[in-house]
Amino acid sequence: MTMSAGGLNTASMDGLKKMAQEPNQGRFLAAGWLTVVPTFRERVNDPQTRNALLDCLAVVEHVRRMPEVDPRSLVVWGTSGGGSLALEIAGETEVTAILADEPATVLSWPNSS
């Protein structure tokens, strides 16, 4: 399972399709991996909310129960905000491996100085 760049906004269907066609997704598919590009509730008003994490955990649990998925072989990958979510997911549920590519380590309040 992969978690693409998360950001703070809910992704549109067009945005999700674009993320699903990025080069790394193609590499994962070529290696025989199932890839999932989820969206989640926005974090614009409160970047520290757990809502996005809870949405992503629900996706992980759904994928884990799919008959074509080996639940002992779940890998979570993400970049930027998705990398931060990948780290949080690994802290909340069991996964086989995690790759946090350039995780966003500082999320500040909008318009703060």
Side-chain angles (χ1 to χ4, degrees):
M1 175 178 173
T2 64
M3 307 291 289
S4 290
L8 298 176
N9 297 311
T10 299
S12 68
M13 185 57 72
D14 287 340
L16 292 172
K17 287 178 182 177
K18 183 178 177 184
M19 284 186 258
Q21 296 172 356
E22 290 179 355
N24 280 332
Q25 300 291 357
R27 291 180 186 103
F28 296 146
L29 289 170
W33 295 11
L34 167 72
T35 64
V36 179
V37 183
T39 191
F40 39 79
R41 287 175 277 180
E42 292 189 5
R43 300 182 283 173
V44 173
N45 292 328
D46 181 3
Q48 303 294 322
T49 183
R50 287 181 48 91
N51 290 343
L53 172 61
L54 295 174
D55 293 347
C56 291
L57 287 169
V59 171
V60 168
E61 292 310 311
H62 176 79
V63 170
R64 190 185 313 273
R65 291 189 307 270
M66 294 172 66
E68 59 274 350
V69 172
D70 178 353
R72 298 164 303 181
S73 296
L74 241 108
V75 176
V76 180
W77 167 77
T79 60
S80 188
S84 295
L85 282 170
L87 289 169
E88 292 181 63
I89 290 166
E92 296 274 337
T93 191
E94 187 175 329
V95 294
T96 305
I98 176 175
L99 174 59
D101 187 4
E102 298 181 4
T105 55
V106 178
L107 293 175
S108 63
W109 291 97
N111 302 318
S112 65
S113 33

